Amino acid sequence: MRDSIYQFPALSLDWSGEIAAFPGNFWQSFIDIDLLVEDDAGAEVSGYAGATSAVPEIISSEDIPDGTYTLVANLWSNPITGNGLDDEDLPLVMTISLGGVGSAGFVPREIGLTPVWNGETPSDQDGENNLILGRVTVDGNVMTLIDGNGTLVGTFGEN
């Protein structure tokens, strides 16, 4: 029997990093960004919406029903807002991985998604503080991540 770390692919959203405007301070000490997995109706399907303040946030494929979903970083208001940081880039990294096998990821701002700390993002003109990162497909124990530009990031797992 294999160790469970090898059995299920996982998604990870990391925002650990220094705040350029305030050297010595780190985003993960002040804000919580939630990773959401939403169906076509906008319902969160992983069961982890707002459930953790861990950095990074990790969601396993075993927690997501089979299907294709939208991946969202919820940049909801936190105590650090209003401190002159509304236009500073967040150090977001989105990764798909399978322990012991490998990982693949992307930085949203490097693919044209600008994760700045404010009430609107380029992918959410309604101002719900959501940055749409891309799509994820789950089929049994296989998970595929597509970035916000429609580019394949990686597929992990096997049926």
Side-chain angles (χ1 to χ4, degrees), residues 1-25:
M1 182 171 167
R2 296 186 304 175
D3 189 326
S4 64
I5 193 169
Y6 298 101
Q7 293 180 356
F8 298 100
L11 298 169
S12 171
L13 179 64
D14 191 355
W15 63 96
S16 58
E18 192 167 354
I19 302 170
F22 299 100
N25 289 290

Side-chain angles (χ1 to χ4, degrees), residues 10-14 71 91-98 102-111 113 133-135 143-149 151-156:
L11 298 169
S12 171
L13 179 64
D14 191 355
L71 280 180
L92 294 182
V93 178
M94 185 73 232
T95 304
I96 184 172
S97 64
L98 180 60
S103 66
F106 65 94
V107 175
R109 72 171 163 244
E110 292 177 0
I111 65 164
L113 300 177
L133 298 167
R135 305 276 289 168
M143 181 185 282
T144 299
L145 175 63
I146 306 292
D147 73 19
N149 289 335
T151 303
L152 174 67
V153 176
T155 299
F156 289 93

Side-chain angles (χ1 to χ4, degrees), residues 28-109:
Q28 68 270 24
S29 300
F30 294 97
I31 64 173
D32 177 30
I33 298 173
D34 293 321
L35 179 59
L36 308 176
V37 182
E38 296 183 348
D39 65 15
D40 289 339
E44 209 290 327
V45 299
S46 75
Y48 284 97
T52 176
S53 60
V55 181
E57 284 214 349
I58 299 172
I59 298 176
S60 170
S61 66
E62 67 182 318
D63 300 317
I64 306 170
D66 286 358
T68 299
Y69 305 98
T70 301
L71 280 180
V72 175
N74 182 248
L75 311 178
W76 63 280
S77 183
N78 281 273
I80 201 168
T81 57
N83 290 316
L85 300 173
D86 288 348
D87 296 321
E88 185 165 340
D89 283 331
L90 294 171
L92 294 182
V93 178
M94 185 73 232
T95 304
I96 184 172
S97 64
L98 180 60
V101 175
S103 66
F106 65 94
V107 175
R109 72 171 163 244

